[in-house]
Amino acid sequence: MTIGFIQDALFSAIAAIGFASISNPPRAIYGSCALTAAIGHSCRYLLMSDAWCGMHIIPASTIAAFLIGTLAVLLAPRIKCPAEACFSPALLPMIPGVYAYRTVKALLLCLFQHEEVAFNHYLYLLMSNGLTCMFIILGMVVGATIPMFLFKKISFQATR
Amino acid sequence: MVTTTSMMNCDPSPEANEVKNFLAEYAAILLGCGATCIRIEKNLRRMAEAFGMYVGTTIMPTYILLSIRTRNEAFSYCSIERPKKGGINFNLNTQLSKLSWEVADGKLTFCEARQRLDEIAHSPHANRWVVLLLVALANASFCRLFGGDGKSMAVVFVATLCGFLLRQEMLRHSIDLRFVVFCSAFLSSVIGATGHIFDWGATPDVALATSVLYLIPGVPYINAVSDMLDGHYICSFSRFMNAVILTFCLSLGLCCGLLVMEQSWF
């Protein structure tokens, strides 16, 4: 449990740094980006683990994303960077990649089926994975963006 | 009297026309580097006020409309700019936001601000080889987060390395981004599927699923929601559609990759 928690934090930090580097951020941002990603992702891990809350992945992602957004807004004035540059890469490790992959796979399988029972099964897989994936992303993005609008004063004066 | 062209034809107390040119270029760069609408509007208003003028903006997906008028309503100018497309660039976003505050706080004159804008627009990108390595490492650790084992991580690392290199090279030749995403997703999924074929590791499915994830347009999705919360629905919808189309190209590339590799589940 503890090892899983630490691993989760470490790997999400590496992922955040790598994905941040695609969008050419200022150097100062890497540290806080890794920190927010690690805290956010391990928070989701705790919320979802059965020993703690055993929460469903959609509300857990939303709460974790809200935490990431709030942290990013608070850290932004210290590193003198816009808040969105800090939390966008930090959110990426939470993208439900496996659900997205299963959706695409189910779609392909569904298209090439001729029998009704099998078709319905793959259609069910397509819809359940697709809906979960969509709502995780929606919850994540909305959760992370709300703090920026709640603390407009801080988030838009960060680069002053 | 004829004045010499010192400091690039720059007047310390600028006329509305010059301010308009400056703000239009600023807005075009800021929109092109993937800033949200609320940031563009706030930055522009802040700087216009420092120059003693009012600015009105309409931000549309493919152009930005500016209208500037002086406080005494003597002059008013309009300008339509197309965004300077250069991909998402947080460094530009940060530098330009800093510039707007420096102007607003009176630390920079108009001439200096114009010079700074020029410098910022030509600021260099990060080293592409470092970025390539970091992205590959990031995607490999992403694989770990989804429960992949060491061998799957290695497969994902190689798949990302090749796919991202292809993306960089194709973008350098300014090929359409949608086609680039399709090709990169195809290449990465073909390499990602090798785990399945040669039975490497216990989690080949996770490796295949993760191998294309570095192509997900995360920032456009986030910007779309930010614009939606701010009430810029048209811009929000356009950013969202843009991201959806890129995601669709990614899925198409993945599907073609899977079809070519003839996975066991067909």
Side-chain angles (χ1 to χ4, degrees), chain B residues 198-219:
Chain B
F198 299 113
D199 272 327
W200 284 334
T203 52
D205 237 24
V206 175
L208 187 49
T210 330
S211 59
V212 291
L213 284 184
Y214 65 96
L215 290 165
I216 290 214
V219 180

Side-chain angles (χ1 to χ4, degrees), chain B residues 62-73:
Chain B
T62 49
Y63 59 87
I64 178 162
L65 205 151
L66 288 184
S67 135
I68 306 257
R69 60 194 162 86
T70 50
R71 254 189 209 136
N72 56 11
E73 314 263 331

Side-chain angles (χ1 to χ4, degrees), chain A residues 7 11 15 18 22-24 26 80 82 84-85 87 92-93 95 97 101 104-105 109 141 145 149 156 159-160, chain B residues 36 38-39 46 89-91 94 97-98 101 105 126 134-135 138 141-142 144 146 205 208-209 213 225-226 255 265:
Chain A
Q7 263 191 5
F11 284 111
I22 300 182
S23 344
N24 195 28
K80 301 218 176 280
E84 62 255 41
F87 73 64
L92 292 180
I95 283 182
Y101 167 73
V104 175
K105 185 170 159 182
L109 286 167
V141 177
T145 324
F149 284 84
F156 289 102
T159 51
R160 191 168 193 165
Chain B
T36 51
I38 184 168
R39 181 167 295 280
R46 196 180 291 149
N89 191 332
F90 285 133
N91 189 30
T94 308
S97 300
K98 271 185 190 158
W101 274 112
D105 290 341
L134 281 177
V135 172
S141 43
F142 211 11
R144 183 65 192 223
F146 290 137
D205 237 24
L208 187 49
L213 284 184
V225 171
S226 168
C255 286
W265 32 270

